[in-house]
Amino acid sequence: MPTHRRARSQEAKQQRAEDLLDAARRLAAETGGVRYLTLAAVTETAGLHPSAIRRYFDSKEELLLELAEREWVDWREEVLRRAKAATDLSPEETADVLATGLLARPLLCDLFTHIPLSLEGEVPLERARRYKELSVTSVAAMSAALAEAGTMTGPQVADLIAATAAQTAHAWQIAHPTATLATLYAQHPEWAHTAYGMGERVTRLLKATARGLAHP
């Protein structure tokens, strides 16, 4: 793939950064998750020289954290839009709003595993602070909107959001096994039941969690 010439203008630099993010997003979808991403593959897919990425992102972790922020914003805005159009949401319906929005964003489901595991801790302090501010304010906005639109309280919804992130992160990794596990499941289909029906299982568990939070 031919490489682009070095970006000179601010607009060209921003486009290069967008090209790298798009490349990372495509590769994650094609290869089975962000755990398989390398900076070399990202730059090659974006049509840039391997050394070019350092002009836009200090590390793979910083690039992935940028993707996580954008996915967070998309999820938050969908939840806020649906909450604004709703009235008297039951706990189960509140769980459905959260689960449906997150499950529609498989990249964020995948990233929710890696954010606390490595991404937050391996970027500069100010970059980590920026991510934390966005995620914390997003949870607050989603909690307030869903509490106003339904029967759960803001703190209950905040707990449900945490459960949603945790459940989808866990379920996504199981539903996208490594080559070794895929071979194992082919040999032992009875062990593979947890790898199927991810969306239904996550939604069912989150509805049960919502009922428990609302009726302790």
Side-chain angles (χ1 to χ4, degrees), residues 134-145:
L134 181 139
S135 60
V136 169
T137 56
S138 294
V139 170
M142 294 159 71
S143 300

Side-chain angles (χ1 to χ4, degrees), residues 3 28 75 77 88 106 109 111 118 149:
T3 58
W75 183 34
E77 293 307 304
D88 297 324
C109 297
L111 285 168
S118 61

Side-chain angles (χ1 to χ4, degrees), residues 18 36 55 71 92 99 106 111 113 118 121 136 140 144 148 157 160-162 166 211:
E18 294 299 325
Y36 299 112
R55 292 196 289 271
E71 294 285 313
E92 292 85 352
L111 285 168
T113 296
S118 61
V136 169
E148 184 175 351
V157 177
L160 184 59
I161 292 171
R211 288 194 297 270

Side-chain angles (χ1 to χ4, degrees), residues 17 27 29 32 47 58 80 130 137 157 182 189:
L27 283 171
D58 288 338
L80 295 182
R130 195 172 89 196
T137 56
V157 177

